[in-house]
Amino acid sequence: GGVVAANALCQYVITTLDQEPSGCSVWHAKCSSLMIRLQKIHFGPLCRLYCKSATSAMAQPAKKARLDKGAAAAATSASILDQEDWQALQVHLQTYDEHRETVIKRTRDAQKSAKQAIYSLHRGDFARAGQQLKSVERVAQELLPIIQKEPTLRPGSYSNALEEYAEAMVFKVFLQENRILKASELSLVQVEEYLGGVLDFTGELNRHAVACATRRDSAAVARCRDIVDALMGQFLQFDLRNGALRKKFDSLKYTLKKLENMLYELSLAEATGMKSRDAEPDDPEGMDTGNAAD
């Protein structure tokens, strides 16, 4: 009798769950309590069958409710938001990220080439330096359409590479023509990039002056000092806000001080050399003759 009753109860509850899923929780709770009691009196297999069927039936309304809720949210979102517009925004962000990665990777090589050009210039290899600077120009030209389309990509990697390029070009023209390259002669470079390159150039000028000092070329050192002094006077006219340019300008006075000290030490060395030459005897043979007479 208990088996028949439990079987009938199981079938009824499952049918009720299928037909009225929204109002069956009370029935499920009552029948579950009954099945637990029946299980204690050895109707285990039947109870397990019911529990599995009832649990599955209860899960279906919850799953259906979640699906209905998701569909309702999607319908609400579609009625409020323009999906085509949001898809266009997603495409824009993806394209922007791709362009950003391209700019970073390509300008890394360009900046490296500019540094190598400066290294070549210090060693007098102007032909190699010219080739390396040409490669920087090619990369900058290739990336220019992206930069024009996305101007926010210019600060950072692209601007740093062009600043390094400006530094190398200013140094090259100084060594070859003994003048400072004008900003208008660098069509790819903007104003702040040019100024940053000129300030970095003074550091390379200091290194060049050291090489000249080792050769006792005081005239070349004096020329380097005069250029840095002239640049100091020009930059003092600018109202530079806090930033990269301001930090570079603050180091300019130390570069000028180093060059002045270098020139001073060269003048001392030259004066000491002149005194030592003046102290040497003009007629050593006459001195030997006098010693012989004594």
Side-chain angles (χ1 to χ4, degrees):
V3 174
V4 174
N7 185 33
L9 180 60
C10 178
Q11 295 297 328
Y12 172 74
V13 170
I14 293 174
T15 303
T16 304
L17 291 173
D18 291 336
Q19 294 176 353
E20 300 180 8
S22 60
C24 61
S25 57
V26 177
W27 275 105
H28 177 264
K30 291 182 179 180
C31 294
S32 296
S33 177
L34 177 60
M35 289 301 101
I36 292 173
R37 290 197 296 271
L38 289 174
Q39 189 173 6
K40 291 181 180 179
I41 55 175
H42 308 296
F43 293 109
L46 181 60
C47 294
R48 283 192 294 271
L49 175 63
Y50 160 73
C51 291
K52 182 177 180 180
S53 300
T55 301
S56 176
M58 281 296 294
Q60 291 178 2
K63 182 177 180 181
K64 183 179 180 182
R66 287 195 299 270
L67 292 175
D68 292 342
K69 185 177 179 180
T76 304
S77 175
S79 64
I80 296 176
L81 302 176
D82 187 338
Q83 294 301 316
E84 292 183 358
D85 181 60
W86 282 90
Q87 289 176 359
L89 291 175
Q90 183 179 5
V91 171
H92 171 75
L93 291 177
Q94 291 175 347
T95 304
Y96 182 87
D97 288 339
E98 292 173 359
H99 287 165
R100 179 176 175 273
E101 291 298 323
T102 301
V103 170
I104 291 174
K105 291 178 181 178
R106 298 287 287 132
T107 52
R108 186 185 299 120
D109 296 335
Q111 189 171 7
K112 182 179 179 181
S113 296
K115 290 180 180 294
Q116 290 173 343
I118 294 173
Y119 181 85
S120 300
L121 290 171
H122 276 293
R123 280 145 188 79
D125 193 350
F126 292 95
R128 185 174 181 81
Q131 295 174 357
Q132 291 162 338
L133 290 172
K134 287 292 184 183
S135 68
V136 178
E137 294 172 358
R138 283 195 299 270
V139 173
Q141 289 285 5
E142 290 173 6
L143 295 176
L144 190 58
I146 297 177
I147 299 301
Q148 291 173 341
K149 183 179 179 180
E150 300 289 350
T152 56
L153 291 177
R154 187 175 190 109
S157 301
Y158 189 82
S159 183
N160 292 339
L162 286 184
E163 190 173 295
E164 196 77 28
Y165 165 75
E167 176 188 357
M169 287 296 296
V170 172
F171 189 39
K172 179 175 178 289
V173 171
F174 164 75
L175 293 177
Q176 292 180 325
E177 305 177 22
N178 195 27
R179 68 180 181 91
I180 300 298
L181 188 69
K182 295 187 295 185
S184 59
E185 297 179 80
L186 296 173
S187 59
L188 293 171
V189 179
Q190 292 185 347
V191 173
E192 289 197 2
E193 295 162 354
Y194 170 77
L195 293 176
V198 169
L199 287 170
D200 289 339
F201 153 74
T202 59
E204 302 303 329
L205 196 61
N206 183 64
R207 291 177 58 193
H208 174 69
V210 170
C212 294
T214 58
R215 300 193 299 267
R216 296 295 189 268
D217 190 351
S218 57
V221 177
R223 185 167 62 252
C224 294
R225 189 275 315 271
D226 293 342
I227 290 175
V228 174
D229 187 44
L231 289 173
M232 172 67 78
Q234 290 297 324
F235 274 96
L236 285 173
Q237 306 300 318
F238 298 155
D239 185 15
L240 298 176
R241 62 182 183 274
N242 292 332
L245 278 180
R246 181 70 192 186
K247 292 179 180 178
K248 291 182 179 183
F249 169 68
D250 290 340
S251 66
L252 184 60
K253 58 184 178 181
Y254 298 108
T255 302
L256 180 59
K257 184 177 181 179
K258 290 177 184 178
L259 290 170
E260 290 175 341
N261 289 338
M262 192 184 307
L263 195 59
Y264 174 70
E265 291 172 359
L266 276 176
S267 64
L268 288 179
E270 290 177 358
T272 304
M274 291 177 62
K275 288 181 179 180
S276 63
R277 288 194 298 271
D278 292 341
E280 293 178 358
D282 293 334
D283 189 6
E285 293 181 356
M287 293 182 62
D288 292 341
T289 302
N291 290 335
D294 292 340

